[in-house]
Amino acid sequence: MLNYLDSHTSKFLLITLLAGIIIFGLIFYFFRKLGKSPKNILPVNFAGRIRIPLVLFMLALVTRILKTNDKILEFINEEVLSHTSTLLFILSITWILIVILKAFKSNILIKYDMSASDNVHARKIYTQFTVLERVLMFLIILFAVSIALMSFDSIRSIGVSMLTSAGIAGIIIGFAAQKALGTLMAGIQIAFTQPIRLDDVVVVEGEWGRIEEIYLTYVVVKIWDKRRLVLPTTYFIEQPFQNWTRNSSDILGTVFIYTDYNVPFDALREELTRILKNTDLWDGEVNVLQVTDTNNEMVETRALMSAIDSPTAWDLRVHVREKLVIFIQENYPHSLPRTRIEMQKREDSKKVEKSIKEPDKSDLLRDK
């Protein structure tokens, strides 16, 4: 194209492109240097993340400058240049905002350790920022797409005519979208009120698992056997569920043992203490054995113990249950549950047998 342009226009084009490349190089170098300093708020790889949207922004700027030259407009339509520049600006700014949002989130969350044993506060911050990040990203993209569509006169006129002539249809669509909007608002409510957090241990729909992912419209629960239970966010606002790590990670575990009435409870208490002291699963806080129920066949005994978190409590429960059963089998087998049947011999049973075998004399005369 340079062969068909005069020298002034060719210089203008080359200077504009060269200036764009130089400005891009300086900005990229600045962000890369800034990212290497541990004192700034930007992550180390921020320059690499912003490179592509920065290129798009410079292209939009160069396109906007080219539109001012009449000679160039003889080869390229002004409307095409204008829309291209506008779309590049919208795309680059949207991309840059998303990158900055992610960088801000990473800079905040790096201060919190999710692998710590007591990570309640860390899970709270992770949940809050993860959900808020997705809400803001949704709003940014929605706003960017709306502006991009409004930049086209034909689409804007079609949209205006649809809004003015289809009011009833808009009302119907609004009612249809009510549930979707309710789900979206439930996601925002979870971010602030936090009935659940990432890595929370919950019991939902009769399943035990951990909160693995929280999105705007649904929540993924990782079940203990590696299945995934996907539930809408409204479930955790409207339905009751168990949250075992709402305030702290430590939890109590229970083991129920069913025995005969003659079991020695003091021996069971001593054995429970010995079992707990010989395992690293116990945190040393709670050690209780109580008789919680009785019926006409057996006695229910509950062993109560504590652990640092729910997975450890599960392992501790199965360990204690197994050891207590073995202890009763080896030392008090007669105390295992049993069903008793007691048969008593009646005193007049002999008289009944005699009356049956020896008929009365009156009966013999009556037969004759």
Side-chain angles (χ1 to χ4, degrees), residues 21 70 82 93 97 120 135 141 158 163 195 250 322 366:
I21 294 173
D70 295 333
S82 178
I93 292 175
L97 288 176
V120 175
V135 171
I141 294 173
I158 292 173
L163 289 175
D250 56 333
E322 176 184 340
R366 191 178 301 112

Side-chain angles (χ1 to χ4, degrees), residues 173-187 216-217 233-234:
I173 293 173
F175 278 111
Q178 184 177 4
K179 188 166 185 177
L181 292 175
T183 305
L184 179 63
M185 294 304 297
L216 290 180
T217 56
T233 51
T234 52

Side-chain angles (χ1 to χ4, degrees), residues 115-239:
S115 61
S117 58
D118 189 5
N119 59 355
V120 175
H121 186 62
R123 289 188 287 108
K124 177 181 178 180
I125 300 299
Y126 264 79
T127 302
Q128 206 164 40
F129 275 87
T130 299
V131 177
L132 286 177
E133 176 201 22
R134 286 166 182 162
V135 171
L136 291 176
M137 284 179 60
F138 173 78
L139 295 177
I140 290 172
I141 294 173
L142 181 64
F143 188 67
V145 172
S146 301
I147 294 177
L149 293 177
M150 293 296 291
S151 66
F152 296 93
D153 294 334
S154 59
I155 297 178
R156 181 169 53 190
S157 61
I158 292 173
V160 172
S161 63
M162 288 179 62
L163 289 175
T164 55
S165 61
I168 298 177
I171 295 174
I172 295 174
I173 293 173
F175 278 111
Q178 184 177 4
K179 188 166 185 177
L181 292 175
T183 305
L184 179 63
M185 294 304 297
I188 299 174
Q189 186 176 352
I190 286 176
F192 287 99
T193 60
Q194 294 195 349
I196 55 172
R197 306 185 186 99
L198 290 173
D199 207 39
D200 260 349
V201 178
V202 296
V203 178
V204 290
E205 298 294 316
E207 300 282 1
W208 182 93
R210 288 181 176 272
I211 302 296
E212 186 177 37
E213 295 174 301
I214 301 177
Y215 293 93
L216 290 180
T217 56
Y218 66 93
V219 176
V220 179
V221 181
K222 183 179 180 181
I223 307 302
W224 64 273
D225 57 1
K226 297 187 178 180
R227 291 178 293 136
R228 265 54 174 190
L229 182 63
V230 181
L231 298 166
T233 51
T234 52
Y235 180 93
F236 296 94
I237 303 298
E238 300 172 355
Q239 301 293 329

Side-chain angles (χ1 to χ4, degrees), residues 266-326:
D266 290 337
L268 283 181
R269 289 189 179 93
E270 294 177 1
E271 180 62 15
L272 175 62
T273 302
R274 189 192 67 81
I275 294 171
L276 293 177
K277 289 183 177 180
N278 290 332
T279 179
D280 296 331
L281 301 173
W282 185 47
D283 63 359
E285 295 293 331
V286 179
N287 171 19
V288 178
L289 188 138
Q290 297 171 319
V291 177
T292 53
D293 195 12
T294 58
N295 56 37
N296 58 350
E297 294 181 353
M298 63 186 68
V299 176
E300 180 188 80
T301 306
R302 184 189 68 182
L304 193 64
M305 63 219 72
S306 57
I308 58 173
D309 53 36
S310 53
T312 307
W314 170 264
D315 294 335
L316 180 61
R317 288 171 59 196
V318 296
H319 174 73
V320 170
R321 186 182 293 110
E322 176 184 340
K323 294 300 182 181
L324 285 178
V325 170
I326 293 175

